[in-house]
Amino acid sequence: MMQPLTASHADHRGERTKRLYLSPPHMSGKEQEFIRQAFDSNYIALLGPMVEAFEHELAEELEVPHVLSTASGTAAIHLALRCLDIRPGDEVWASTLTFIGSVAPIVYERARPVFIDANAGTWTLDPDLLSEALASAAKTNGRLPKAIVPTDLYGQSCDLDAIVEISAKYGIPVICDSAEAMGTTYRGRKAGSGALMATYSFNGNKVITTSGGGALTSADEKLIQRARYLSTQAREPVVHYEHLEVGYNYRMSNILAAIGIAQLRVLADRVARRQQIFQHYVDGLGDLPGITFMPEASYGRHSRWLSVLIVDAAQFGADSEAIRQALEVHNIESRPVWKPMHRQPVFSGARTIGGAVADSLYAQGLCLPSGSGMTQSDQDRVIEVVRSLGALSLRRRPSMNEGRALNDHP
Ligand SMILES: Cc1ncc(COP(=O)(O)O)c(C=O)c1O
């Protein structure tokens, strides 16, 4: 008989040392029921009733009229750019503090990414910087971007209304990358709502997952129709396979949509749990000198997809990398804040507007395990390791006068 595959690092180590992942999938228990229904109907191929139902339920959740489910969040962004007819050489301005999936599709179209720094208070695209840069571009050479792609970061919405208002002055469309923001709110609306198009990811590490998958939304039906057409190989509606242009195989499969339906039903619980986890980190670590947390912008509710802290090494006595390594020794996964796009070798030639804020968040930021399935005692393991470093640093930190003595006699 076939042995079940397991990826558990815990098998030979016991509960205490089981690996704690950053943000593993968290199933509701109902997924297999929907998958079974999909199997029973034999809709194993790409499209089928689960896809339709998932898109319908997602539209209700996100309070948008039109939704296309896709193979990934990256595919959704690519389709959005195609819908806007982004051409080789066009500029697309995007957040520098993001994951590469947000901006890789700009390069797929041979367009040119320009990176914009984050605002220190929200960590998302700085609207003031955008406003100044657009005004100066309009004044000097008139070269304006064809689209703007701000990212909602770690569960915090960007200041979308401000970004849309500034961009609208120049007639520039906004695609909001809300991959990390399922369950996030912005001015009482769902994250992404208010952009011409918004994109979401259901990758395995997100608040809810379809294992891999994404979605593109818009209030404009024509845009979603166009994206739907492009996502199914730009196939003309005739019985033989007729193509007037080249598209993609970017649809979500019926089986994965079945998982998505079950996951959507627990979204509110998952977000509430992530927010609780964040609060427990604040309670457990917030008193340590040099430790602060990602702020929550006043305009919305942060889903706390990931709990992120900032380490001031001078005050804490150890830097974020030392904490990451100490956690790793205890079989706990943590990750630096996204390395900004303007620091990525692949984008070395790209223009950047600002960048110092993203640089410093990258240097000091650490994402802690945040999965909604983790227990309080899992979390206490993390807190214990970080606190032990802090305590060590407190003991070791020399005062101005005793520095030499401590260094000489460790
Ligand atoms: C900000 C951001 N944009 C885009 C993506 C791409 O989504 P996917 O992995 O579903 O392609 C992700 C995550 O994976 C992301 O975090």
Side-chain angles (χ1 to χ4, degrees):
M1 210 177 99
M2 218 169 109
Q3 291 297 312
L5 296 174
T6 72
S8 168
H9 290 59
D11 296 349
H12 58 286
R13 293 173 186 249
E15 178 64 15
R16 175 75 185 157
T17 55
K18 98 181 164 196
R19 181 139 177 93
L20 272 187
Y21 290 100
L22 195 69
S23 181
H26 184 184
M27 295 295 104
S28 70
K30 295 275 191 274
E31 288 76 12
Q32 294 194 18
E33 200 177 307
F34 288 101
I35 293 173
R36 192 184 46 76
Q37 284 177 32
F39 269 74
D40 287 351
S41 68
N42 205 31
Y43 275 106
I44 308 298
L46 266 187
L47 298 178
M50 292 294 171
V51 171
E52 279 167 44
F54 181 58
E55 289 181 351
H56 181 76
E57 293 192 18
L58 200 51
E60 280 188 350
E61 166 56 39
L62 295 171
E63 297 160 8
V64 285
H66 307 291
V67 171
L68 172 74
S69 56
T70 56
S72 69
T74 309
I77 295 169
H78 192 195
L79 289 168
L81 293 176
R82 278 292 307 265
C83 286
L84 295 177
D85 207 20
I86 302 299
R87 296 284 169 107
D90 286 346
E91 281 190 1
V92 175
W93 292 10
S95 301
T96 191
L97 192 57
T98 190
F99 173 66
I100 195 165
S102 189
V103 295
I106 301 170
V107 181
Y108 300 167
E109 290 307 312
R110 307 205 178 286
R112 293 220 299 256
V114 173
F115 300 116
I116 305 182
D117 204 356
N119 173 285
T122 68
W123 299 19
T124 60
L125 189 143
D126 189 333
D128 292 337
L129 216 50
L130 174 68
S131 175
E132 280 165 32
L134 285 177
S136 126
K139 216 193 292 174
T140 50
N141 57 10
R143 187 177 172 85
L144 289 165
K146 288 285 165 54
I148 293 170
V149 186
T151 290
D152 295 337
L153 197 78
Y154 295 133
Q156 172 131 284
S157 172
C158 62
D159 191 356
L160 188 58
D161 285 354
I163 293 167
V164 167
E165 195 185 316
I166 294 158
S167 309
K169 278 194 209 159
Y170 303 90
I172 305 164
V174 174
I175 302 165
C176 191
D177 179 0
S178 301
E180 301 177 1
M182 277 301 293
T184 297
T185 57
Y186 173 73
R187 299 194 192 283
R189 315 189 303 261
K190 300 296 164 80
S193 156
L196 180 64
M197 285 176 271
T199 60
Y200 302 84
S201 168
F202 305 109
N203 186 25
N205 64 355
K206 296 297 188 289
V207 172
I208 57 168
T209 181
T210 56
S211 85
L216 175 68
T217 66
S218 181
D220 184 334
E221 186 175 11
K222 289 219 165 57
L223 285 172
I224 297 300
Q225 274 170 355
R226 167 95 181 129
R228 198 177 289 280
Y229 164 81
L230 289 170
S231 72
T232 40
Q233 304 283 23
R235 182 183 166 189
E236 292 301 312
V238 288
V239 67
H240 60 276
Y241 286 79
E242 178 91 358
H243 304 277
L244 304 177
E245 57 185 311
V246 171
Y248 314 91
N249 182 1
Y250 271 176
R251 294 308 310 273
M252 178 181 281
S253 93
N254 199 52
I255 302 296
L256 301 192
I259 300 174
I261 291 171
Q263 286 274 290
L264 262 182
R265 295 184 184 178
V266 292
L267 173 63
D269 293 346
R270 298 297 187 252
V271 172
R273 179 70 192 124
R274 294 215 183 221
Q275 290 165 340
Q276 242 175 27
I277 286 169
F278 172 75
Q279 193 53 50
H280 193 59
Y281 281 132
V282 173
D283 295 344
L285 299 171
D287 63 319
L288 293 175
I291 297 288
T292 51
F293 291 87
M294 181 176 182
E296 180 174 47
S298 58
Y299 52 60
R301 190 78 175 99
H302 198 314
S303 71
R304 302 296 176 186
W305 166 52
L306 294 185
S307 288
V308 191
L309 51 77
I310 285 289
V311 187
D312 178 333
Q315 279 189 52
F316 185 67
D319 64 8
S320 57
E321 178 56 16
I323 299 180
R324 192 193 68 74
Q325 286 179 16
L327 289 168
E328 194 55 53
V329 166
H330 289 83
N331 210 16
I332 298 169
E333 182 184 31
S334 62
R335 289 273 169 103
V337 159
W338 296 126
K339 180 171 182 175
M341 291 303 114
H342 72 274
R343 293 288 171 201
Q344 298 290 350
V346 70
F347 294 128
S348 60
R351 189 154 73 88
T352 308
I353 299 164
V357 174
D359 282 344
S360 113
L361 293 173
Y362 170 59
Q364 297 187 298
L366 191 68
C367 304
L368 298 177
S370 308
S372 46
M374 73 192 292
T375 62
Q376 184 144 325
S377 75
D378 289 338
Q379 245 197 302
D380 290 339
R381 271 176 64 195
V382 180
I383 291 171
E384 210 179 289
V385 174
V386 179
R387 283 204 82 84
S388 71
L389 280 180
L392 215 63
S393 73
L394 280 180
R395 259 186 273 124
R396 281 208 190 129
R397 189 145 36 94
S399 73
M400 295 279 267
N401 296 332
E402 61 197 7
R404 275 192 71 83
L406 275 178
N407 285 341
D408 292 346
H409 308 284

